[in-house]
Amino acid sequence: MNPLRILLLGAPGSGKGTQTSKLLKKFHQLKSLSSGDILRSQIKQESPIGIEAEKYIKNGSLVPDSIMVGIITHQLEQSKWLNKQSSWLLDGFPRTIHQATALHQVIKEKANFNLVVELDVDQNVILDRIEARWVHVPSGRVYSLDYNPPKVPFKDDITGEPLTKREDDTAEVFQKRLTKYNEEIGPLKDFYSKQGILQTVSGNTSDVIYPKLENLIVNRFS
Ligand code: AP5
Ligand code: MG
């Protein structure tokens, strides 16, 4: 299999985290980075970045580009992922055109994306899901009381630790996140479309989307 460097785009609640977990089980060479998971773990640790980021996250705004570009490029460099042999997936970054162009400067020569996939899910379906979402912050594992419930109610399957609700999953804040996504996504899609690497997979459940996503990867990279 050729190296995969994937970006997952999609509205809040479209299933980026859920699809990432499935892909990691199937493609063992793949590693992933979720900007939201990094920020939530910084908030939990009450680090300076976490304290700053929480102000934005809890009201559904985006964390400023300068902070995000710094965090993610530092992580990519530290993890030694910036070479043509590594396979990795980013979930949640870049999500503004400014972030995309800044990241492009860092990765374009060493390890540019070779596939950007937009998860296209009806936004009315998404709103219904969010009430049922519970998360395990230390690992980023995501559950749904309806769709993929934990084996023991409200406990993480692997560690047994308690699950929590995200503070940005209230109906009001979630609606703001969706609106923000709709404002930012156009230029981002244009940017990757011009590079010839953008694909869209549509469907209202992860069970419909996942096989399409897996096929896309297998067809292009094996
Ligand atoms: P982030 O954590 O990235 O949140 P998001 O993009 O809003 O996306 P979500 O994590 O809410 O959804 P998801 O697509 O991962 O869906 P999931 O798999 O959980 O960002 C949070 C905040 O951090 C941002 O608002 C911003 O403030 C800040 N931030 C992060 N990155 C940033 C950046 N680059 N720049 C600036 N600020 C940034 O699925 C959703 C639910 O649906 C789950 O419960 C799941 O179990 C369930 N589900 C999945 N599939 C199905 C199905 N088929 N049927 C029923 N339920 C399903
Ligand atoms: Mg997520």
Side-chain angles (χ1 to χ4, degrees):
M1 192 118 195
N2 296 321
L4 303 165
R5 290 183 299 277
I6 304 174
L7 167 63
L8 281 189
L9 298 175
S14 59
K16 300 182 294 295
T18 305
Q19 302 294 344
T20 299
S21 309
K22 290 180 184 237
L23 289 174
L24 295 187
K25 283 188 194 139
K26 168 80 185 175
F27 302 102
H28 295 290
Q29 73 274 40
L30 205 55
K31 298 157 289 197
S32 73
L33 207 59
S34 151
S35 54
D37 287 351
I38 293 173
L39 293 171
R40 281 184 287 280
S41 121
Q42 295 288 328
I43 291 172
K44 196 157 189 266
Q45 292 165 34
E46 298 179 5
S47 70
I49 284 179
I51 291 166
E52 183 64 15
E54 190 174 22
K55 296 183 207 158
Y56 299 93
I57 293 179
K58 72 178 182 200
N59 72 24
S61 308
L62 292 181
V63 175
D65 289 336
S66 56
I67 299 180
M68 291 313 303
V69 171
I71 297 175
I72 303 292
T73 54
H74 176 76
Q75 283 275 348
L76 286 171
E77 272 157 7
Q78 258 214 334
S79 329
K80 304 208 178 353
W81 287 9
L82 295 181
N83 59 71
K84 294 216 160 76
Q85 289 74 45
S86 292
S87 286
W88 39 265
L89 176 155
L90 300 189
D91 154 2
F93 180 93
R95 70 171 80 191
T96 66
I97 185 65
H98 180 81
Q99 292 177 11
T101 49
L103 180 68
H104 191 66
Q105 290 310 313
V106 177
I107 68 175
K108 65 179 176 190
E109 252 120 61
K110 299 178 198 151
N112 199 8
F113 291 120
N114 42 29
L115 181 63
V116 176
V117 184
E118 178 201 15
L119 307 180
D120 171 34
V121 180
D122 185 329
Q123 296 195 354
N124 293 316
V125 171
I126 290 177
L127 281 171
D128 289 342
R129 279 183 193 175
I130 284 313
E131 294 274 293
R133 171 162 67 183
W134 288 76
V135 295
H136 180 245
V137 170
S139 67
R141 280 185 283 277
V142 179
Y143 300 86
S144 157
L145 299 183
D146 309 322
Y147 170 70
N148 59 336
K151 291 177 188 145
V152 177
F154 308 108
K155 296 275 164 63
D156 177 50
D157 285 352
I158 309 289
T159 63
E161 289 167 351
L163 302 179
T164 50
K165 286 297 282 178
R166 277 172 47 171
E167 65 175 345
D168 58 351
D169 271 354
T170 62
E172 189 196 354
V173 173
F174 194 78
Q175 185 59 58
K176 274 186 72 179
R177 289 162 54 202
L178 269 182
T179 304
K180 190 73 195 152
Y181 175 81
N182 293 334
E183 282 168 19
E184 299 288 344
I185 190 63
L188 211 52
K189 281 173 63 178
D190 289 347
F191 183 73
Y192 293 115
S193 177
K194 282 188 188 128
Q195 294 178 34
I197 52 177
L198 178 69
Q199 298 281 336
T200 299
V201 287
S202 304
N204 284 349
T205 83
S206 298
D207 302 335
V208 172
I209 288 196
Y210 181 73
K212 294 186 188 173
L213 186 58
E214 190 183 304
N215 270 344
L216 199 62
I217 294 174
V218 170
N219 290 340
R220 277 185 155 223
F221 297 100
S222 51

